[in-house]
Structures are given as structure tokens and as C-alpha cells.
Amino acid sequence: MSMTTAVGSTLERWAQARWFWAAMLLFRVWNALFVRTAFNPDEYWQSTEVAHRMVFGYGHLTWEWQDDARLRGFAHPAVFALLYKLLAIGGLDTRWAIAYGPRVLQGTLAVFNDYSLYHLGRVYFDRRVATWALFCHIFSWFIFYVLVRPYSNSIETICTTAALAHWPWQFLSSDRRRLLLQYVLPIATITILLMLAIDFLGYGALTFVPLNFIKFNVLEVSAVHSSSRSHSGKE
């Protein structure tokens, strides 16, 4: 048996053990606390700052959250708002908990991404491929640097990986009608209703954020671009 095969077999056994995933949880929490640099302003302005305002009544909201824009959804900051609320109820809302609690929560959620990636590899390929994919993922510096941040792209990555790992792909080629009626439409309906309910609580009015986003970033930008071309004399 070659060294590569032996290492692969060992890693496969580890990935199936409960202690390994418990260790991964501790690793991601440590990962979240270890990374203390800033990556993108939105990891604060579009998440924890909004959550802080939702719970404690103060915090800066950027222009996207104002009533004349409403380009951001409250679902993501609501995750951290729930954490802040629980901390406040328990009298645990210390400066450290407010600052690093979202990081610890995000690190915990990151483990679901690790497991979903492993599961996705097993669904598409086999246990060996899934194991090597998982360990490449674990030792990715960019994943280590970004996934544990309270950043919307991080939670989107976690949700997308989980969705791909658990999606009933077997119906895609055999029974698309069943796929549409049993999975796509119910999931889409529930998701949209939840989004509308959360944003209604956040904005205080019925708001369909994706439509606002398309209007601002596609329709209005296109109109401005067309107007600029007309004034410049270009066709």
C-alpha cells in the first residue's frame, strides 16, 4: 500500500467519525476568533451593525437600508439579531459577546458547510473524493479567512453548499414534473413568504427586496447609461 493510499484511508475513517466533526466544530470556533482582520465593510454594515440596531435601537444604517432604497433584506442580520436578543435576555450582552458572538455563531455555521461539502462529494462521486475535497477545503487559506466572517457571502456559501448536497437530483432527468411540484414550488413559496415577513418586520411595510434590487441595479442604471449615451451624441 502506497503512502498516499494509506493517508487517504486514514482520512476517510476520520471523516466518518463523530469525534472528527466535534473537533471540526472546535476548529471553526477557534478559526472565527483567530481571524481579527477586516475583509470587507459589508461584513459589519450589512450584518452586525443592522442586527445591533434591530435589538438595541441604535447603530448606523447605510443608504441601502433607507426607506427610499430598501435594497437589502433583513434575513441575514436577523440571524445575529436573534443572538443579540438572547444575550440581552440572559444578561450576557457584554462588549466581548457583542463583538465576537457573531463570529462564534458564524464559525459554528461554517461546520455545516464543511459537512455539506463532504456530503456533496459523496453524492456526486464517492467517499474517497469527498474526503480529499473536504481536506482541501479545510486547508484553504481563503476559506479560513472569509467563511467565519459575518458576511452575507459566507452565509450564502453555506446555504448553497447545503442545498446542492441535499437537492433531489435523481428527479432532474426522470421526473421533472414531480421535482417542480414537490420541491421547487413549495420551497420557493415558503422562502418568498418568509422573506416578505422578515422584511415587513424590518422595514415596517410590505417590501419585495429583489424587485427593488433589480429596479435600481438594472433598470435605473440602464436608463442612466442610455441617457448618458444620448447626451454624448453616441448611438
Side-chain angles (χ1 to χ4, degrees), residues 227-235:
S227 176
S228 299
R229 288 172 61 88
S230 298
H231 284 288
S232 65
K234 296 180 180 180
E235 297 296 331

Side-chain angles (χ1 to χ4, degrees), residues 27-42:
F27 169 72
R28 286 304 182 195
V29 171
W30 170 80
N31 179 183
L33 296 175
F34 179 82
V35 177
R36 297 195 177 191
T37 54
F39 173 64
N40 188 296
D42 281 355

Side-chain angles (χ1 to χ4, degrees), residues 20 30 97 141 150 164 211:
F20 172 79
W30 170 80
W141 173 248
L164 291 173
L211 179 59

Side-chain angles (χ1 to χ4, degrees), residues 38-147:
F39 173 64
N40 188 296
D42 281 355
E43 66 183 284
Y44 306 107
W45 299 124
Q46 309 299 348
S47 59
T48 53
E49 191 74 13
V50 181
H52 191 279
R53 186 183 181 91
M54 293 171 68
V55 176
F56 300 107
Y58 65 97
H60 181 70
L61 295 182
T62 56
W63 66 272
E64 300 103 318
W65 299 93
Q66 304 304 321
D67 288 339
D68 58 347
R70 297 183 182 179
L71 297 177
R72 298 287 183 175
F74 279 89
H76 179 230
V79 174
F80 304 112
L82 177 60
L83 172 64
Y84 283 161
K85 190 65 177 179
L86 293 175
L87 290 174
I89 292 174
L92 302 173
D93 50 334
T94 63
R95 293 179 63 183
W96 189 94
I98 295 300
Y100 292 103
R103 287 290 187 99
V104 174
L105 176 58
Q106 187 67 35
T108 303
L109 294 175
V111 179
F112 288 98
N113 187 76
D114 299 329
Y115 181 78
S116 295
L117 181 70
Y118 175 71
H119 182 70
L120 180 62
R122 293 190 63 173
V123 169
Y124 272 99
F125 301 100
D126 54 37
R127 193 164 58 193
R128 179 174 177 273
V129 172
T131 302
W132 282 109
L134 172 63
F135 278 87
C136 287
H137 176 77
I138 292 172
F139 289 102
S140 167
W141 173 248
F142 190 74
I143 293 296
F144 183 90
Y145 183 68
V146 176
L147 192 62

Side-chain angles (χ1 to χ4, degrees), residues 162-199:
L164 291 173
H166 296 91
W167 187 252
W169 295 103
Q170 67 273 18
F171 296 134
L172 190 59
S173 58
S174 60
D175 194 346
R176 295 190 178 186
R177 185 172 182 273
R178 181 182 176 187
L179 177 67
L180 178 65
L181 297 178
Q182 187 172 336
Y183 292 95
V184 176
L185 289 180
I187 292 174
T189 301
I190 293 172
T191 301
I192 292 173
L193 290 176
L194 282 174
M195 178 186 66
L196 289 172
I198 293 172
D199 288 335

